[in-house]
Amino acid sequence: MMGAPGAGKGTQARLLASRRGLTHVSTGDMLRQADEAGTEVGRTARRYMNQGQLVPDDIMVGLVAERLARNDCGNGFVLDGFPRTVRQAESFAARGQALEAVIALVVPEAELVERLSGRRVCRRCGTMYHLSFSPPTTAGRCDRCDGELYQREDDLEQTIRERMAVYARDTAPVLEHYRRAGLLREVSGSGDPEEVFSRVTASLQ
Ligand code: AMP
């Protein structure tokens, strides 16, 4: 599942995984968990993430290979946030791991910035909220698990601009790479999650 920051990758990847019995593998979530756990990889990753930069390819390729080797990925998985560079895509392909499809969620930039700056995330279960579009019932608390809602440091306006620039420079070429391979399905990411999800499903037929 690909798309610029704020395009809805996490939401769509989670929906696709749960409706099809696949495992959701989000590299952003993995890095945030590593950081919370205080591991070396987590500490290194945090420095890049807070500046809106990408974590180095060798760390990411190793992390994903380890994750996909676990049993719960045996029946299929939805990759969310990986690969983000052509080098990551090539290293991944070199391992002989086949992909069935690459979905790119397309959303106009002004909408992306609006979505990201209002985004709040549950610290405990990862559920996403938006201050204007999908606010929680009680301010600052998760409807599902009552966990604390927080704003990701990389969702601050300055960092959002940097992430957009990094996306255009490093990740947009990955889409071209998959377009040439005949795997790319471009889907409009505007609208509510179920509406977008029905387009995602249609693109997989
Ligand atoms: P996400 O939750 O997918 O928006 O990822 C949050 C941040 O984690 C990104 O802005 C990057 O700093 C880092 N990150 C996640 N996935 C990757 C990746 N495949 N390659 C490099 N950095 C990544």
Side-chain angles (χ1 to χ4, degrees):
M1 189 69 66
M2 299 194 57
K9 291 190 302 292
T11 303
Q12 294 302 319
R14 231 175 246 132
L15 276 174
L16 185 60
S18 77
R19 308 256 168 106
R20 301 235 169 149
L22 304 168
T23 296
H24 175 216
V25 176
S26 155
T27 46
D29 285 353
M30 284 161 65
L31 295 173
R32 282 183 287 276
Q33 279 155 15
D35 177 45
E36 298 240 321
T39 67
E40 179 78 41
V41 165
R43 270 196 300 275
T44 307
R46 176 52 60 198
R47 290 207 310 270
Y48 291 95
M49 292 167 84
N50 283 354
Q51 291 167 18
Q53 299 295 327
L54 294 182
V55 174
D57 289 337
D58 48 351
I59 297 184
M60 296 313 302
V61 169
L63 212 61
V64 169
E66 239 171 65
R67 179 67 191 87
L68 296 185
R70 301 225 308 253
N71 281 345
D72 61 349
C73 289
N75 289 328
F77 50 85
V78 181
L79 272 177
D80 163 9
F82 181 94
R84 260 182 158 98
T85 66
V86 171
R87 248 196 83 213
Q88 290 179 14
E90 286 171 350
S91 308
F92 183 72
R95 290 175 172 269
Q97 192 92 55
L99 290 176
E100 189 181 320
V102 175
I103 299 161
L105 299 171
V106 182
V107 176
E109 179 157 338
E111 201 177 323
L112 293 173
V113 175
E114 191 184 18
R115 285 184 183 188
L116 289 172
S117 50
R119 178 157 82 173
R120 297 294 180 272
V121 187
C122 173
R123 211 178 269 291
R124 196 182 298 158
C125 74
T127 300
M128 307 253 201
Y129 296 85
H130 190 282
L131 295 182
S132 324
F133 310 137
S134 55
T137 313
T138 309
R141 310 298 320 177
C142 178
D143 289 354
R144 275 207 196 146
C145 75
D146 200 40
E148 179 203 359
L149 302 187
Y150 76 110
Q151 182 171 34
R152 279 168 46 174
E153 200 153 328
D154 55 346
D155 282 346
L156 301 175
E157 181 140 358
Q158 174 74 24
T159 320
I160 292 174
R161 303 259 168 231
E162 182 58 27
R163 288 164 69 200
M164 297 293 178
V166 167
Y167 181 81
R169 188 188 66 212
D170 296 329
T171 309
V174 180
L175 299 185
E176 277 317 304
H177 175 88
Y178 286 127
R179 194 193 308 278
R180 280 197 297 275
L183 289 172
L184 190 69
R185 319 265 202 273
E186 283 180 290
V187 171
S188 161
S190 294
D192 70 64
E194 285 297 339
E195 207 178 316
V196 177
F197 185 66
S198 57
R199 284 184 220 125
V200 167
T201 310
S203 82
L204 291 173
Q205 250 126 55

